[in-house]
Amino acid sequence: MYTYLFRNDSVRTTPVEIRAALTEMYNQIMLYGNTIVLSYNQVTDSRAFLSGIYSDDSYEAIMNLIRHGKIKMNRYFSAKTPSEYMQNAIAQYLNQDNPGSFQFSGLPIETKESQLEENKMRLTDVADALRCSDPWLLMKKSKQYAAKGDEREAKRYRMFEHYVQMILLFSMKEDAYIAEKNPEEMERTNRSLLDFLLLLLKSFETEDCKFTVLSARNRLEACKLIRDYINQNQRTPKILCGRSNWYHHLRNLWDGVADENKVNCREAIAFAEAMIDICYNFTIEESISIVLDHDIEAELLVAMHKELEIYWQDIVSGAHIPFCDEETYVEAMEQSFLDAIEQTDVFRDFRKADIVISDNIHQKKPQKKQIKESQYEVLEGEHSENMRRQQRRWIGGILKGIFRNIGIAFFYIVVFVLINKMMGLAQSLFEDMFQRFAQLSIEIVSIIVFGIVNSVIAGCTHVPDILDSIERIACSIRDLHYILQAKRAAKKSEG
């Protein structure tokens, strides 16, 4: 099953949101067996997804998940590859009259005005590496900064190098993309951000609206703010389909409110922004060909209300910072990845996912026909059953991996014993006066020969060497413990 995650949205910028998004990504892959589908915006500018790429604990694991097809992209209509998409964005930043107004929220650069010239130089380096398909240009600069003692800038360029490697992998991998919608699908499901907004407004402006996570007065005030902007731009509907246009409109409304009235207006403006974000994500989700059409309006509204309620609770708790609240938002954005992202166990968990999927990838049988599914089409009971089925599948795969690696380790032990026996025969040919020297020499040679044989076997057969086998056994046991814990937690929550 393919799934598009709202938590990977580029506006989710706080450490709390990033950890929640990474945890959900890991659970979707490991517990449910799903494939994550990312939009161009998420691949190039999502702090949640990119923090996993920047972390040394999870970089190689996530790159391998992309190679194995567990993380894919939805093709963006106006750009052929994410490399082209990113080069165009950087060119826009460098060429516009006021570069500071364009923010790359997913790159490790500060947004302060004092950093403008440095950012232009850094982004030029990133663009050069993308254009030449040569991320080592960035690694070279990282080493130069490290030699000068500037560890902060050296780390920044290592993160740039990871970023470019990931962009190039998506750009050059043949099966990295989800197939585009065919013309018939596009004609039937081509709703814009404005279409979803109008649907949500219609449900909120009725007297029997059951959405109660905030007061009816603030909900209706938020609807009025959105409705007024729609009426102002009826002749230019394209403006109403761009999220950034809505953001700047709401920011202007916020700036125009007198300081003594900001407390009263904050909820209405922030809720309007939340409505924009949720509708934007539904628009992106519906553009993905493997997601079922939201044909039944009542079911779609239930899903939209549910996502909006979760999102609003994040705003209320402070986990999410609205764009309209400029002072707080800018302060949060000025914390770059070099400072704001904390290393957590979530990053290391992706290494477990990589090992388990790598060990079991050969057991996966190709499907004759990919079934279109949406995360909203699965009922709660079916979702629990899917999770249990996937847990059983992973447990079986992990046990097979444990026995397989035990077998490999046993094979190497047999090889080692045979080599020792052969060396023992050679040792008996030496004279007694050289016996001690010969014994020590034979033991050293035995270790060297075993290491060579080990490497030759691993290189020719792609079988992991004995140290890797032992490490994988330990990782598999930890993964089995994790899956069984999740299984017990699921049973407890259902009971």
Side-chain angles (χ1 to χ4, degrees):
M1 176 178 170
Y2 292 93
T3 184
Y4 169 80
L5 302 182
F6 287 25
R7 286 190 180 276
N8 280 333
D9 193 353
S10 60
V11 301
R12 305 288 187 105
T13 59
T14 67
V16 174
E17 291 178 298
I18 289 166
R19 285 193 291 273
L22 287 170
T23 300
E24 185 174 2
M25 281 183 63
Y26 177 80
N27 288 339
Q28 287 292 333
I29 292 172
M30 282 297 291
L31 295 186
Y32 307 125
N34 292 336
T35 295
I36 306 297
V37 180
L38 302 171
S39 67
Y40 264 67
N41 176 261
Q42 290 176 344
V43 168
T44 57
D45 210 31
S46 165
R47 281 197 169 192
F49 170 66
L50 293 175
S51 61
I53 292 293
Y54 294 148
S55 168
D56 291 332
D57 282 329
S58 58
Y59 167 65
E60 283 297 339
I62 292 181
M63 292 288 279
N64 283 334
L65 291 174
I66 295 171
R67 294 185 183 102
H68 294 326
K70 297 303 293 182
I71 300 176
K72 288 181 176 287
M73 281 187 62
N74 183 44
R75 193 179 292 278
Y76 186 67
F77 70 93
S78 65
K80 296 178 181 178
T81 66
S83 177
E84 178 186 347
Y85 178 87
M86 197 62 197
Q87 288 180 59
N88 291 339
I90 293 174
Q92 180 182 351
Y93 179 94
L94 297 176
N95 294 333
Q96 62 178 328
D97 295 334
N98 184 17
S101 65
F102 191 96
Q103 294 180 347
F104 289 89
S105 59
L107 281 175
I109 57 177
E110 285 86 356
T111 59
K112 299 174 182 177
E113 286 296 323
S114 59
Q115 292 281 323
L116 182 57
E117 291 304 317
E118 289 86 346
N119 285 343
K120 290 171 69 174
M121 180 190 70
R122 293 162 183 154
L123 290 174
T124 299
D125 291 337
V126 172
D128 288 343
L130 287 170
R131 185 170 55 255
C132 301
S133 297
D134 189 2
W136 302 114
L137 293 173
L138 301 169
M139 181 55 70
K140 181 180 177 181
K141 279 219 165 187
S142 176
K143 291 179 178 179
Q144 289 173 349
Y145 281 113
K148 296 177 183 177
D150 191 346
E151 284 299 325
R152 183 179 178 84
E153 203 66 17
K155 182 178 179 181
R156 191 194 308 275
Y157 270 84
R158 285 198 302 274
M159 293 163 76
F160 285 151
E161 188 257 338
H162 284 189
Y163 181 86
V164 169
Q165 289 273 28
M166 179 271 298
I167 294 292
L168 292 176
L169 175 60
F170 269 124
S171 298
M172 295 186 290
K173 193 172 184 295
E174 188 175 345
D175 59 346
Y177 301 94
I178 296 298
E180 298 178 64
K181 282 193 172 183
N182 59 47
E184 181 182 345
E185 287 179 308
M186 287 296 293
E187 184 177 346
R188 189 175 66 254
T189 60
N190 194 25
R191 281 180 286 198
S192 65
L193 170 61
L194 177 59
D195 294 326
F196 280 102
L197 265 178
L198 291 173
L199 184 63
L200 199 55
L201 285 173
K202 180 182 175 183
S203 72
F204 280 163
E205 291 172 343
T206 59
E207 293 183 0
D208 59 344
C209 177
K210 298 179 181 179
F211 193 84
T212 58
V213 296
L214 81 166
S215 67
R217 184 182 67 83
N218 285 330
R219 185 188 74 239
L220 293 174
E221 182 62 28
C223 291
K224 182 178 183 303
L225 295 176
I226 293 175
R227 185 72 73 178
D228 288 345
Y229 191 59
I230 292 174
N231 293 335
Q232 293 170 18
N233 294 277
Q234 284 181 338
R235 296 184 179 181
T236 53
K238 188 176 181 180
I239 293 177
L240 302 171
C241 296
R243 179 163 65 164
S244 59
N245 297 327
W246 282 100
Y247 265 35
H248 289 297
H249 171 65
L250 294 176
R251 172 71 67 77
N252 291 334
L253 288 178
W254 176 259
D255 292 342
V257 175
D259 290 341
E260 60 270 19
N261 295 327
K262 283 189 181 292
V263 174
N264 296 327
C265 296
R266 184 184 185 278
E267 277 202 351
I269 296 178
F271 189 71
E273 182 180 320
M275 292 169 64
I276 301 296
D277 286 338
I278 294 302
C279 290
Y280 167 83
N281 277 280
F282 271 94
T283 305
I284 298 299
E285 184 192 51
E286 193 172 72
S287 72
I288 301 173
S289 62
I290 47 79
V291 174
L292 280 177
D293 308 335
H294 298 297
D295 289 332
I296 303 176
E297 183 175 301
E299 292 182 0
L300 172 59
L301 283 173
V302 169
M304 294 179 77
H305 286 184
K306 180 180 178 181
E307 289 292 337
L308 188 55
E309 181 176 351
I310 295 171
Y311 196 41
W312 182 248
Q313 292 299 337
D314 284 345
I315 293 176
V316 172
S317 67
H320 177 72
I321 300 172
F323 180 81
C324 62
D325 194 348
E326 181 175 15
E327 183 176 345
T328 308
Y329 183 85
V330 171
E331 181 182 346
M333 289 300 295
E334 285 180 350
Q335 288 185 295
S336 73
F337 278 129
L338 301 179
D339 301 317
I341 307 303
E342 299 176 6
Q343 298 298 309
T344 71
D345 290 337
V346 177
F347 292 122
R348 289 185 286 277
D349 284 343
F350 280 99
R351 290 191 298 183
K352 299 179 186 177
D354 175 33
I355 290 173
V356 172
I357 290 170
S358 297
D359 279 348
N360 292 278
I361 198 73
H362 66 281
Q363 302 172 10
K364 187 176 180 180
K365 297 180 180 179
Q367 296 179 346
K368 294 182 179 179
K369 184 177 180 182
Q370 179 63 53
I371 301 175
K372 293 183 178 182
E373 293 182 285
S374 168
Q375 55 188 344
Y376 303 113
E377 308 303 324
V378 183
L379 299 176
E380 185 175 353
E382 295 173 345
H383 187 72
S384 299
E385 178 57 33
N386 285 343
M387 185 180 73
R388 286 192 291 269
R389 190 181 303 116
Q390 182 59 32
Q391 288 170 344
R392 290 194 295 269
R393 199 176 299 135
W394 283 127
I395 290 171
I398 290 170
L399 290 174
K400 288 179 182 178
I402 290 175
F403 290 123
R404 176 172 175 268
N405 285 297
I406 289 175
I408 292 171
F410 180 76
F411 168 73
Y412 279 121
I413 291 171
V414 172
V415 171
F416 182 73
V417 171
L418 289 176
I419 291 174
N420 258 347
K421 290 292 184 183
M422 291 173 62
M423 292 301 175
L425 292 174
Q427 179 181 343
S428 65
L429 299 176
F430 283 84
E431 298 293 336
D432 291 341
M433 60 183 299
F434 298 110
Q435 187 172 1
R436 290 186 178 180
F437 175 75
Q439 184 176 0
L440 178 62
S441 299
I442 291 297
E443 288 178 357
I444 294 173
V445 173
S446 298
I447 294 172
I448 294 173
V449 172
F450 176 70
I452 294 172
V453 172
N454 187 2
S455 299
V456 170
I457 293 174
C460 294
T461 63
H462 302 291
V463 172
D465 62 27
I466 187 168
L467 294 179
D468 283 340
S469 298
I470 293 172
E471 181 182 359
R472 287 177 178 229
I473 290 170
C475 287
S476 296
I477 292 172
R478 288 197 301 269
D479 290 332
L480 184 61
H481 175 68
Y482 177 86
I483 297 296
L484 292 174
Q485 273 189 326
K487 191 174 181 180
R488 284 194 295 268
K491 286 183 177 180
K492 186 176 179 181
S493 64
E494 290 173 11

